[in-house]
Amino acid sequence: MRTPIMLLIIILFTILSGCSAKKSLPNEELPSNSNEVHPKEVSLSSFEIEQIMKLASNGMVIDSPFSIFESSIQQVKSSWGEPDQIDEVAGGSYATYKERNTVFGFNQYGEIYDVRSYNKNLQELKMEKIKHELGQPKDIRENNQESIYVYEMKNKTELKFIFSNDLKSVDHISIYNPGRFETKQYTLDIKGNSNQLSVKAWESMKNWREEIKQFSVEHPSVYVNGPNKKMVALTFDDGPDEKITPAIINILNDYNVKGNFFFLGSNVKLHPEVVKQAFESGHLVLSHSFNHVELSKLGKSEVEKEVKRAGEEIQSVIGKMPAILRTPYGDTNDQVVNVSKEQGYSIVLWSIDTLDWSQKDATNIVKNVVDNVRNGDIILMHSDSDKMETEKALPLMIESLEKMNFEIVELETLLNIKAYQ
C-alpha cells in the first residue's frame, strides 16, 4: 500500500514532467522567426492565403517588396542587382530573379505592371482550397498546360493563381495592373509638316511614320514618345558644331531647361569642347552613330562599328558611355535593335518632327510644336551649322510650352531609362 507521501511525490513528478515537455505544434503554428523550421516546411493554411490577399491588395506578392502601383524595374535593379534574364514580349518585358523566385513585368517606361512569385510553398495550394477560401474566381482561363484563376482586386488589378494542369496545384501567382501595361500602348502619331517636301517625299515620310510607330509597339527598347504625363523632351541631332550648338546650350541654360543632344561621333571628334560644355551644363550627351548613315543598309559588323565608335568618342570626352541611341533618319530594323541592345543602348526616336531641316523657318518650327504638342512628346530639332532658324525658334518654343504648363525634361526622366551605361 502506497503511503500518502509516495503518492504526493508521484503526482509532483508527473506535473513537472508535463511542464518541461516540449509542446508539439503543427508547422503552420510555429512562429515565423523559428530557426528550427525551413520556410518550405511551412504549409499554406487559410492564414497564409489571407496574407497573399493582403499583399495583393497592396500590389505585391510574397518574397518581394515591390508594387505594381508605384515601383519601377530600376528600383528593383538598385536593390537586387541585375536580373538573370530579360525576355521581351509584345508590349512589355519580363525580368527574372531566379534565386528570389520572382519575375517582374515592366513597360517601356520601366514601370512594373506584373509581379510573379514562384515560391515553392505555393505548390501546396490546390484548386479546391483556393475556391473554398476565396470563392469562385471572376474568370478562369485555360490552355493545354495551365489553368489561370483570376480574382479582381481594387483599382481593377488582378490576382492570378496559375495552376499546372499536370499537378493540379499552383505553379505561381501573379499580381497584375492592366493600367500600367496599357501605358505601353500610349503610342503617339508622329506629327510635323513642311511646305518644302515634294508629294513623293511626303508620302514616303507618312509611310515611315506609321511603320516606325508599329515597330516601337513591338519592340519595347524602341521609343517614339514618353508616357501620358504633362512632360516633353527637347532633342537636337547632328551636332556638335562651333556656333549653333553652343548657342542652343546657352539658351537652354538661360531658361533653366535641360536638353538632349544626339551627337555624331565624327563631330564629337572635331568639337570636344562643345560636347564638354553640354555635359557640364547638365544636358544629356547621347549617340547619333558615328557617320550618319542608314544603319539598316549595313551588315551587322558595320552597324556594330558605327555604334561602338560613336560611344567611345563620346566617352573619351565626358568619361561616360551613352546608353541612348538615335538612329540617323530614324532608320531602324531588327538587326539595328539587336546590335544596340548588345551594346547597352535603348533607341529613342521622336513624336514631333519640327522639320527644321526642311522648312528652315522659325515660325513653322514653333508652329509644328505648339499645334501638335501632347503629353509625352519627344520633339526633334537639329543643332548643326545651318540651323540658325532653330536657334531663333527655341526661346519662343520654350516659352509657349511653359505657358501650356508642360514640364520640359531630359529623356532619362521622361522615359525612366538610363542615359549612361
Side-chain angles (χ1 to χ4, degrees):
M1 181 176 177
R2 294 179 180 174
T3 66
I5 294 175
M6 286 295 294
L7 286 172
L8 180 61
I9 291 171
I10 292 170
I11 292 168
L12 287 173
F13 178 80
T14 303
I15 292 171
L16 290 172
S17 299
C19 291
S20 63
K22 184 176 180 180
K23 183 180 179 183
S24 178
L25 295 175
N27 285 335
E28 62 267 25
E29 293 180 12
L30 286 168
S32 59
N33 61 352
S34 171
N35 294 323
E36 299 178 15
V37 181
H38 192 279
K40 71 181 180 180
E41 297 171 358
V42 180
S43 64
L44 284 163
S45 66
S46 301
F47 175 74
E48 277 75 24
I49 293 176
E50 288 176 11
Q51 287 295 94
I52 289 172
M53 293 296 289
K54 184 175 180 181
L55 286 168
S57 69
N58 292 308
M60 297 184 288
V61 296
I62 55 177
D63 299 329
S64 167
F66 303 102
S67 166
I68 56 170
F69 298 125
E70 54 192 28
S71 298
S72 70
I73 194 63
Q74 282 72 27
Q75 291 172 321
V76 178
K77 289 179 180 180
S78 295
S79 179
W80 287 6
E82 291 295 320
D84 296 293
Q85 66 187 60
I86 294 181
D87 299 298
E88 290 191 3
V89 297
S93 303
Y94 280 82
T96 299
Y97 288 84
K98 292 180 181 177
E99 290 188 4
R100 295 181 179 270
N101 303 313
T102 308
V103 174
F104 299 96
F106 58 97
N107 62 28
Q108 74 176 135
Y109 311 113
E111 299 170 329
I112 292 173
Y113 62 80
D114 189 4
V115 186
R116 302 177 180 180
S117 173
Y118 288 79
N119 188 302
K120 291 182 180 179
N121 294 337
L122 295 168
Q123 294 174 5
E124 297 179 27
L125 293 176
K126 305 296 181 181
M127 292 182 180
E128 295 77 13
K129 178 72 171 176
I130 297 293
K131 286 193 287 187
H132 175 74
E133 296 295 332
L134 303 180
Q136 193 68 18
K138 173 193 172 185
D139 190 17
I140 299 177
R141 303 164 191 168
E142 296 183 341
N143 55 45
N144 292 333
Q145 297 179 332
E146 60 189 22
S147 298
I148 304 172
Y149 279 30
V150 182
Y151 290 87
E152 188 170 76
M153 309 294 290
K154 67 178 183 180
N155 300 326
K156 295 186 178 180
T157 59
E158 296 177 343
L159 172 62
K160 304 176 186 178
F161 293 86
I162 295 85
F163 294 91
S164 163
N165 286 343
D166 292 335
L167 302 176
K168 302 296 182 183
S169 62
V170 171
D171 178 71
H172 64 280
I173 60 173
S174 161
I175 185 69
Y176 172 73
N177 183 352
R180 275 192 158 191
F181 175 75
E182 289 163 5
T183 301
K184 168 61 184 173
Q185 308 309 316
Y186 180 72
T187 306
L188 299 174
D189 292 329
I190 302 174
K191 300 289 188 177
N193 296 290
S194 165
N195 62 20
Q196 301 299 306
L197 294 173
S198 67
V199 173
K200 183 178 179 180
W202 177 239
E203 286 301 315
S204 177
M205 177 174 286
K206 286 198 297 183
N207 289 338
W208 174 83
R209 287 177 174 182
E210 284 301 316
E211 289 169 3
I212 203 66
K213 175 184 173 182
Q214 183 58 37
F215 188 84
S216 74
V217 170
E218 297 167 358
H219 295 77
S221 63
V222 178
Y223 300 80
V224 168
N225 57 270
N228 188 10
K229 299 177 182 178
K230 209 165 181 65
M231 299 188 297
V232 297
L234 305 178
T235 68
F236 305 88
D237 288 8
D238 293 355
D241 74 325
E242 73 285 355
K243 182 180 177 183
I244 300 299
T245 305
I248 287 175
I249 293 170
N250 290 334
I251 293 169
L252 294 171
N253 292 347
D254 289 343
Y255 281 90
N256 195 28
V257 165
K258 300 305 180 189
N260 308 268
F261 290 91
F262 288 94
F263 287 149
L264 290 167
S266 54
N267 285 341
V268 170
K269 199 167 189 174
L270 296 174
H271 306 289
E273 71 288 349
V274 180
V275 178
K276 191 173 292 186
Q277 180 191 358
F279 180 72
E280 291 177 351
S281 296
H283 309 295
L284 296 189
V285 174
L286 310 169
S287 176
H288 198 36
S289 82
F290 194 84
N291 287 307
H292 206 284
V293 293
E294 294 177 80
L295 297 179
S296 69
K297 294 184 178 178
L298 303 180
K300 183 179 179 182
S301 63
E302 293 172 294
V303 176
E304 290 171 338
K305 186 176 180 181
E306 276 289 324
V307 176
K308 187 171 185 289
R309 285 184 70 194
E312 289 175 346
E313 202 65 53
I314 291 170
Q315 186 179 33
S316 71
V317 176
I318 67 172
K320 292 186 176 184
M321 180 72 72
I324 302 176
L325 167 72
R326 173 168 288 165
T327 51
Y329 313 104
D331 183 45
T332 310
N333 62 8
D334 286 336
Q335 178 176 267
V336 173
V337 170
N338 291 336
V339 169
S340 300
K341 286 171 61 179
E342 288 168 5
Q343 296 197 26
Y345 289 87
S346 300
I347 295 176
V348 175
L349 303 177
W350 57 85
S351 52
I352 290 181
D353 187 347
T354 62
L355 278 298
D356 63 342
W357 54 271
S358 174
Q359 189 173 341
K360 299 175 183 178
D361 169 63
T363 301
N364 189 65
I365 293 168
V366 175
K367 179 178 172 60
N368 271 328
V369 173
V370 173
D371 288 359
N372 296 304
V373 67
R374 301 145 298 180
N375 289 356
D377 266 318
I378 299 173
I379 299 165
L380 168 63
M381 291 172 277
H382 297 77
S383 69
D384 47 329
S385 58
D386 66 344
K387 300 302 185 297
M388 288 79 74
E389 290 297 302
T390 302
E391 176 190 344
K392 189 189 301 184
L394 186 57
L396 302 173
M397 186 186 302
I398 293 172
E399 290 172 10
S400 297
L401 288 169
E402 289 182 339
K403 283 180 182 176
M404 298 167 75
N405 295 316
F406 280 97
E407 184 182 2
I408 302 171
V409 299
E410 18 67 65
L411 290 168
E412 196 168 40
T413 297
L414 182 69
L415 302 177
N416 197 25
I417 60 176
K418 294 188 300 183
Y420 303 106
Q421 299 182 39

